[in-house]
Amino acid sequence: MNRNTYQITEDILDTLLLSDHDGVKTTLLLRQSNLSYNRFNGFINKLTQSNLINEITVKNKKTYIITERGRVYLDEYKKFNNIAESFGLEL
């Protein structure tokens, strides 16, 4: 089954939400999101521009953390997805 943009975004944000406060390094996040490098970069750029995630540097490595706005988005998306599924719809 192919994932849509919203499902991929959910996977990335979920991974960041479950991480500690040090965030997730690029390699692990890339592996967890199961995307090609180019596609991954597109998502990261979009999520960063939307202020859903922040890119920080930890020990000279790009690292990503979820923002409060990202937490709210993820929570609201999951609520909406549950409602849609209860009506037999798939987002």
Side-chain angles (χ1 to χ4, degrees):
M1 179 182 128
N2 289 333
R3 297 174 296 164
N4 65 36
T5 300
Y6 300 109
Q7 292 165 327
I8 294 169
T9 299
E10 178 185 19
D11 289 344
I12 292 170
L13 294 177
D14 266 337
T15 299
L16 295 176
L17 185 65
L18 296 174
S19 72
D20 56 14
H21 295 295
D22 292 334
V24 178
K25 291 182 180 47
T26 303
T27 305
L28 179 59
L29 191 54
L30 180 61
R31 194 177 311 127
Q32 294 286 340
S33 63
N34 196 28
L35 295 170
S36 70
Y37 183 75
N38 287 339
R39 207 151 172 234
F40 172 79
N41 276 336
F43 274 94
I44 291 302
N45 289 336
K46 185 182 284 188
L47 294 173
T48 303
Q49 290 171 359
S50 300
N51 197 27
L52 297 179
I53 67 172
N54 282 332
E55 180 183 301
I56 59 173
T57 303
V58 177
K59 298 179 185 173
N60 294 325
K61 303 257 184 189
K62 281 186 183 178
T63 305
Y64 300 94
I65 57 173
I66 190 168
T67 63
E68 184 57 33
R69 180 180 164 105
R71 291 173 193 271
V72 170
Y73 171 87
L74 185 60
D75 186 49
E76 294 301 319
Y77 170 79
K78 287 181 178 190
K79 287 178 191 174
F80 185 71
N81 192 38
N82 287 337
I83 292 169
E85 286 178 355
S86 73
F87 284 94
L89 302 172
E90 187 177 312
L91 298 181

